[in-house]
Amino acid sequence: MAQRGIGTTNNASRESGFRLITLGRLALLTGSGEADESLGKRRRKLALLAVLAMASRPYSRDVLADMFWGEEDDDRARHSLSDALSHLRRKLGRDAITSRQAEVALARELAMSVDALDFVAACKAGDHARAVSLYGGPFLDGVFVEASCRFEEWVAGERRRLAELFARACEQRCMSLARAREWEECYAVASRWLAESPLSADAALYIINARKAPGTRESALAALHDYDALAARLARDYEAVPDARVAALAATLRERIEASTDTSPARPPLSAARNRSTSSARRRTLAAIAASAVSLVLLGAVIFLAGRRAAADTAVPHEADRPVVAVTLVQNVRGDSSIAWLQDGLKQMISADLSRSAAVEVVAPSRVRDVAARVELSDESRLTTMDAMRIAKGVGATWAVTGGITRGDGVYVLDAGVRDVATGRLLKLFTVTGTDILAVADQVSSRILAAAESGKPGPQLSDIETANIGAYQHFVRSIQAGYEGRFTDQVRELDAAIAADSGFVSAIVARLRVARINGDQALVPRLTRLFDAARGRASDWDLAVQELYTAFHNGERRRSERLARALVASHPHDPRAYEWLAKIFMSHGEWDDADTVFQRELALDSLALAVGNGPCASCGALAGLSWLRLYSGQLEAGERAARRWVALQPDVPASWSMLSTALAYAGRYDSALVTGRRAELLSQGSAEYEMRLGRILVMARRFDAADSAAAAWLKRPGDDYHANALELREIVLRERGRLRGADRVIARATSRYPETASLSLTRANDLARLADLEGAVRIYETGSHPLPVQTDVRSPIAPLYGDGARAFCWSHALEADAIAGTADTTRLRALADSIEIVSTRSYYGRDWHLSKHVRGLIAMRGGRYADAARDFRQAMWGANGWTMTNERLAIAELQLGQPSEAIAALRQAYEAPPDAMGRYVLRSELDLYMAIAFRAAGKPDSSAVYAGYVRRAWAHADPEVRAELAALEDGTL
């Protein structure tokens, strides 16, 4: 047993040989193997021991106190830590824990072994059998410390690290067992592997191959039974399908069974077959000893071929899917002595570039030279393409790269080809030029990598046009960072891609759109100039997306859908194409079509991360599915999609944030805050994720906590934190009915931070509530005509007709709602007619229905509440679109004497967070109408709860807001 050198001078402890169990459970075992009862009942102290035992260096007392007692004040937390350490010393020995100044660690002499450390040691030693046997389950499974994000983060990291080691150990162990034909044990190991990693295609392949190994009809049926169970679990728990390789193997088994006419008696089960094969092996061994040397050679050949067949049958290593590339020949075409060095130099440069990518495996140039010399083909001036192929075959390459280099007028010209070694088929032929030989090598490497990516069955990025391999890799990483919600990394990678290649159109366009979203007014013009200078380098993908962007933002509905469908048809493996099509369908309110597109994207590679292929199509698809289902009111389905994403990517912030959003929509705020904090921790302090937490605090009516968070952000460096702090503070002030204070905060925010400009519409809403209708209308009219628009595109973010139409419709709908109580109906009808006409040019489906909201207001003014309710329902955008429509519908239902319908409309309004379309109705105002609706429904207890919410929120509200509390007394609307 591997012992941790952290012992104690206490003899009893040394003799007892404590063992700490952390895998699958948490327990301290004594020398007799029994769990220590005193610590078993004190889980926090036992968890503290686990943290100290796994540590490679001492912990500070402050860190430990915060990790385990962070909810207590500092003095009490330190006292609790001291008490826990004293208890551990009493149990393990007086000198078991050392304390130097403010640091704590387990003593090096402590005679206590730790299963997780033994497991890691076995993995490092390559003892995969021992490693698999030591792994008892997820690290600290079921162990929690209440209200400790730091402990959760630590456990999650350790759990993920150990689970990955277990998967690799299982893979190596299964490979060894498969080669030895030990199929029963292989099946057992693979079953444990799949239980821990349900999305692992390799584990599933081992299970099916091990089960079918006896070769009987019964074993094939058993293998199919395992496959069906896997497929059912993936569909039930992850809404996924088995990997294409697994499905293909199952399909082959079905065909064999259907074609089989074998009626011979069934063979024994795995265990019996194994015993029989063992006995046969012994008899063969005895016979082999007595046989001739020729027989020994033949036996060796049979065993070798059997092993090769077994390895091929298991279809195990997805590493084999990577091309093995050998740069075998670069000829000096004209015999130019000044570039003779490039015959070897270019091979070195290209191989070095390729070796930095995981898409290919590269044969070292030195190995290529050795094989060439061995087969007497080292004189490159006389080599033919067939000779180069022989060399590539000799080094075990699957692809051979050959080329010829010339130079004239300071320009290098390299003609290169990539050939399949097995068939000799030419896979790719291209010519690259440049004045810098390093840039030429980069271009060749990029073309080879593009060929490698295009040969994969899973998701791929299309037409990334750059000659710089570094720029290519930064861009691909930026896409993945965007999927994972690591926005700081996304920006950094895009900036690095543009720095490496200032004419890289795809990277410039992506960075431009991020800059516009972030309101970075200084950066947009500079990037636009780069785009204008580089537009001649735009790839087919760039041109197609630009045409689609123009049609979409010009409000050309059918054309944009047609172009998006064409994008998917021409780039069927690129998840970005599916996301464009789904985005357009969602913007048009075609929810079912969008759902279908996301499902198709998911099918690109349902196990994209598990097999490591291409971009994470599953991430984009699951994010889209979750949002789509939340928008359409399918809260449980939205949560399931988010949980599938968390299962697929448990270490990225976006998946946890999506789950947090789904839980918040369902009103499960405590769980939403826990998962949201995990997202924020994984993002390493992103202001974006902290703002999302702030909004959930508001949804949960925890206004004090939200205000405290805003105050803390204002003390941090960085404009993003300060802008978010001001926005959150104005949200809290509005919820408390302090509209004048909120306006002062908005003025401060919009004057300092351009990205907060949309808050001006919130300010207009406040002015209308304070009866300053003239001021409100002035803001709305300014927002109706934001920027000049055009029909064509100078840059990828140019404002177009559709953008202008959207601003016109939204601002005028807000204006109509603000003045509905005092304006004459002629003006309201004029606004409704204008919105209806202009909305046909908007690309956002909500705008097509906004005129119905205004017509509902007109019907309300005339006391036609049934007509008003009908119009408001027709104005609804999704299940929880504009909260103002939900509120107005609830009022109409109350006037019609239908409080239950009013309550249902208000409940939908609570789902939306206080941003975008959800920011214009106060949640405290929803509480007011909920109290009135429950009273009308004859439920005074529920009415009292909501009345209490609104009275507490508006205890110090502006007089105009407090006046609305009278409705709680007399029920008038």
Side-chain angles (χ1 to χ4, degrees):
M1 178 184 296
Q3 297 289 326
R4 181 182 176 90
I6 48 173
T8 176
T9 57
N10 183 283
N11 291 331
S13 178
R14 208 182 261 126
E15 292 171 2
S16 65
F18 285 110
R19 181 163 179 77
L20 183 64
I21 304 299
T22 62
L23 297 173
R25 60 190 176 114
L26 178 59
L28 181 65
L29 305 184
T30 64
S32 62
E34 296 179 356
D36 182 89
E37 291 185 4
S38 65
L39 279 176
K41 296 176 181 177
R42 296 170 173 83
R43 306 287 284 172
R44 193 176 303 220
K45 294 176 181 178
L46 198 52
L48 171 62
L49 177 60
V51 169
L52 295 174
M54 295 295 292
S56 58
R57 58 180 181 272
Y59 270 97
S60 76
R61 283 181 172 271
D62 288 342
V63 168
L64 291 174
D66 180 62
M67 182 181 287
F68 288 96
W69 295 277
E71 76 279 9
E72 300 178 2
D73 60 61
D74 291 347
D75 290 341
R76 184 161 183 170
R78 284 192 290 268
H79 175 77
S80 297
L81 174 62
S82 298
D83 177 70
L85 294 175
S86 298
H87 187 101
L88 292 175
R89 287 190 180 99
R90 289 195 298 273
K91 181 55 57 179
L92 300 172
R94 185 183 59 188
D95 301 321
I97 298 174
T98 63
S99 297
R100 294 187 179 90
Q101 295 179 345
E103 293 185 332
V104 178
L106 293 187
R108 297 184 60 82
E109 298 80 15
L110 176 60
M112 182 181 76
S113 63
V114 183
D115 62 344
L117 297 178
D118 291 346
F119 166 73
V120 172
C123 290
K124 288 182 177 178
D127 190 349
H128 305 301
R130 174 170 169 73
V132 170
S133 67
L134 282 169
Y135 189 81
F139 181 70
L140 297 192
D141 194 21
V143 177
F144 302 96
V145 172
E146 187 176 354
S148 176
C149 292
R150 175 171 281 187
F151 179 75
E152 283 187 22
E153 182 184 12
W154 176 78
V155 171
E158 290 293 304
R159 185 177 294 161
R160 183 166 57 251
R161 177 177 71 92
L162 297 174
E164 289 171 355
L165 286 175
F166 176 65
R168 288 200 288 271
C170 287
E171 183 174 16
Q172 294 299 317
R173 182 61 179 152
C174 283
M175 188 178 297
S176 299
L177 292 168
R179 287 171 177 166
R181 315 294 286 176
E182 297 287 345
W183 294 114
E184 186 176 18
E185 187 174 351
C186 178
Y187 179 83
V189 172
S191 297
R192 289 187 58 200
W193 179 9
L194 191 66
E196 288 288 323
S197 306
L199 299 177
S200 172
D202 291 339
L205 286 168
Y206 275 120
I207 284 177
I208 295 174
N209 279 296
R211 183 69 95 177
K212 74 178 183 61
T216 65
R217 180 182 179 84
E218 286 73 19
S219 63
L221 287 169
L224 283 178
H225 175 76
D226 285 337
Y227 171 80
D228 291 338
L230 169 65
R233 181 183 180 188
L234 290 177
R236 180 184 68 249
D237 296 343
Y238 303 98
E239 294 186 24
V241 296
D243 180 86
R245 294 174 295 160
V246 181
L249 180 57
T252 301
L253 283 175
R254 292 188 199 281
E255 291 172 2
R256 290 178 184 173
I257 291 171
E258 291 171 359
S260 173
T261 56
D262 181 15
T263 58
S264 59
R267 297 188 189 180
L270 272 174
S271 56
R274 178 184 174 192
N275 293 336
R276 183 176 297 174
S277 64
T278 303
S279 300
S280 298
R282 289 172 180 159
R283 288 195 296 272
R284 283 197 301 272
T285 302
L286 292 173
I289 292 173
S292 64
V294 173
S295 299
L296 284 171
V297 171
L298 290 174
L299 178 61
V302 169
I303 294 172
F304 172 77
L305 290 174
R308 288 290 298 273
R309 185 167 58 252
D313 200 26
T314 57
V316 174
H318 54 260
E319 292 293 325
D321 294 340
R322 298 191 305 165
V324 180
V325 180
V327 186
T328 54
L329 175 63
V330 176
Q331 288 184 321
N332 182 357
V333 176
R334 296 177 183 170
D336 184 346
S337 59
S338 67
I339 61 171
W341 66 278
L342 289 177
Q343 291 190 162
D344 280 332
L346 264 177
K347 287 189 285 188
Q348 293 278 0
M349 293 180 211
I350 296 169
S351 298
D353 276 348
L354 292 173
S355 66
R356 294 199 294 269
S357 171
V360 297
E361 184 178 340
V362 184
V363 179
S366 58
R367 192 167 157 224
V368 173
R369 286 196 301 272
D370 291 345
V371 171
R374 196 179 310 130
V375 295
E376 300 180 349
L377 293 174
S378 55
D379 185 358
E380 293 199 7
S381 63
R382 299 183 179 180
L383 285 185
T384 66
T385 300
M386 293 305 296
D387 294 332
M389 298 292 284
R390 284 179 58 197
I391 295 171
K393 195 170 186 177
V395 298
T398 56
W399 284 7
V401 179
T402 60
I405 184 76
T406 59
R407 187 178 69 165
D409 295 329
V411 176
Y412 297 96
V413 179
L414 178 64
D415 297 302
V418 181
R419 292 182 181 272
D420 181 80
V421 174
T423 65
R425 182 169 62 91
L426 184 65
L427 302 175
K428 196 172 185 69
L429 183 65
F430 50 88
T431 299
V432 297
T433 62
T435 57
D436 181 352
I437 194 62
L438 292 174
V440 170
D442 283 349
Q443 289 187 65
V444 174
S445 304
S446 296
R447 301 294 180 89
I448 295 169
L449 287 177
E453 294 290 345
S454 66
K456 292 179 178 180
Q460 303 151 16
L461 300 177
S462 303
D463 295 344
I464 300 179
E465 190 61 44
T466 178
N468 188 300
I469 192 170
Y472 171 89
Q473 291 172 330
H474 284 301
F475 182 70
V476 172
R477 286 197 288 267
S478 78
I479 292 174
Q480 189 60 32
Y483 276 131
E484 295 177 358
R486 295 182 289 106
F487 305 121
T488 301
D489 292 342
Q490 179 189 25
V491 168
R492 184 173 62 247
E493 295 291 353
L494 285 173
D495 287 342
I498 296 170
D501 181 359
S502 61
F504 188 178
V505 174
S506 294
I508 294 169
V509 170
R511 187 66 180 91
L512 255 173
R513 289 177 178 154
V514 172
R516 185 184 66 169
I517 292 170
N518 293 339
D520 194 337
Q521 304 295 339
L523 184 59
V524 168
R526 183 168 68 83
L527 289 170
T528 301
R529 289 193 293 272
L530 285 178
F531 173 79
D532 289 338
R535 74 166 68 220
R537 278 183 51 186
S539 66
D540 289 344
W541 168 271
D542 295 323
L543 295 172
V545 169
Q546 193 62 15
E547 184 181 9
L548 172 57
Y549 175 91
T550 305
F552 178 51
H553 282 266
N554 266 330
E556 300 175 63
R557 299 183 211 172
R558 298 309 164 209
R559 181 166 176 259
S560 63
E561 289 182 11
R562 186 171 66 253
L563 289 172
R565 291 182 190 275
L567 191 69
V568 171
S570 58
H571 303 279
H573 296 289
D574 195 324
R576 296 174 299 169
Y578 293 88
E579 284 154 23
W580 261 110
L581 180 56
K583 172 187 176 180
I584 289 173
F585 281 143
M586 287 182 69
S587 296
H588 294 172
E590 297 171 13
W591 315 112
D592 291 341
D593 288 337
D595 196 291
T596 300
V597 173
F598 282 130
Q599 295 289 358
R600 288 173 61 195
E601 182 187 0
L602 201 58
L604 280 180
D605 187 351
S606 63
L607 303 176
L609 284 190
V611 301
N613 251 7
C616 182
S618 301
C619 306
L622 291 172
L625 282 172
S626 188
W627 276 118
L628 172 65
R629 289 165 181 178
L630 294 180
Y631 288 157
S632 56
Q634 305 173 64
L635 301 188
E636 292 183 2
E639 182 184 339
R640 284 199 302 272
R643 289 192 181 280
R644 285 177 61 193
W645 189 9
V646 167
L648 183 65
Q649 277 196 312
D651 55 352
V652 302
S655 61
W656 287 100
S657 181
M658 187 69 255
L659 178 56
S660 176
T661 299
L663 293 169
Y665 266 65
R668 293 153 61 190
Y669 302 122
D670 287 340
S671 298
L673 288 167
V674 170
T675 51
R677 286 193 184 99
R678 179 164 294 184
E680 188 271 329
L681 287 169
L682 289 170
S683 74
Q684 298 180 342
S686 164
E688 168 68 19
Y689 289 105
E690 293 207 23
M691 185 61 184
R692 295 181 189 185
L693 280 171
R695 292 192 184 104
I696 294 173
L697 288 171
V698 173
M699 295 173 75
R701 303 181 185 86
R702 300 178 188 178
F703 302 138
D704 288 340
D707 206 32
S708 296
W713 300 347
L714 285 171
K715 296 177 182 177
R716 297 187 187 180
D719 286 351
D720 49 356
Y721 277 110
H722 295 173
N724 284 345
L726 294 176
E727 182 174 351
L728 183 58
R729 178 155 284 176
E730 67 87 14
I731 292 173
V732 172
L733 286 169
R734 294 183 77 239
E735 288 293 343
R736 287 173 163 163
R738 297 167 61 185
L739 305 183
R740 290 180 175 83
D743 287 349
R744 288 192 292 272
V745 174
I746 290 174
R748 179 181 170 192
T750 54
S751 66
R752 295 186 181 184
Y753 308 110
E755 63 270 29
T756 63
S758 62
L759 291 180
S760 61
L761 294 178
T762 306
R763 181 167 183 265
N765 181 270
D766 291 344
L767 292 176
R769 291 172 183 274
L770 294 170
D772 183 2
L773 296 181
E774 183 178 343
V777 168
R778 188 163 49 247
I779 294 174
Y780 288 135
E781 286 298 326
T782 302
S784 301
H785 312 281
L787 288 171
V789 297
Q790 55 190 55
T791 57
D792 207 347
V793 178
R794 289 180 297 102
S795 82
I797 60 169
L800 300 168
Y801 274 158
D803 300 274
R806 183 178 179 188
F808 180 95
C809 295
W810 183 231
S811 293
H812 278 108
L814 287 167
E815 178 182 338
D817 199 274
I819 65 176
T822 58
D824 59 54
T825 55
T826 301
R827 185 175 178 186
L828 291 174
R829 285 195 180 90
L831 286 170
D833 292 342
S834 298
I835 292 170
E836 187 171 358
I837 293 169
V838 176
S839 69
T840 60
R841 294 305 303 268
S842 174
Y843 60 86
Y844 194 31
R846 173 207 64 188
D847 300 339
W848 310 338
H849 306 278
L850 283 177
S851 63
K852 290 294 184 181
H853 179 90
V854 182
R855 298 196 192 284
L857 296 174
I858 296 169
M860 290 265 283
R861 282 288 300 274
R864 295 180 287 108
Y865 298 112
D867 291 343
R870 181 201 61 219
D871 287 333
F872 289 134
R873 288 195 191 94
Q874 291 177 355
M876 294 292 286
W877 173 247
N880 47 33
W882 186 16
T883 47
M884 193 71 78
T885 302
N886 295 82
E887 184 185 73
R888 298 296 186 245
L889 174 59
I891 294 172
E893 298 287 9
L894 284 170
Q895 295 289 2
L896 291 169
Q898 300 177 139
S900 297
E901 285 75 5
I903 291 169
L906 292 169
R907 286 199 190 283
Q908 287 183 325
Y910 281 112
E911 294 172 7
D915 63 354
M917 292 184 289
R919 70 163 64 246
Y920 300 99
V921 174
L922 310 179
R923 300 184 77 80
S924 49
E925 186 174 78
L926 293 176
D927 290 338
L928 173 69
Y929 287 116
M930 203 57 132
I932 295 170
F934 271 118
R935 180 193 297 173
K939 297 180 180 179
D941 291 343
S942 297
S943 177
V945 169
Y946 284 94
Y949 291 151
V950 69
R951 286 195 177 97
R952 284 191 293 274
W954 291 355
H956 304 287
D958 292 337
E960 294 86 348
V961 176
R962 283 190 57 81
E964 296 185 34
L965 289 173
L968 292 177
E969 309 305 327
D970 56 25
T972 57
L973 299 178

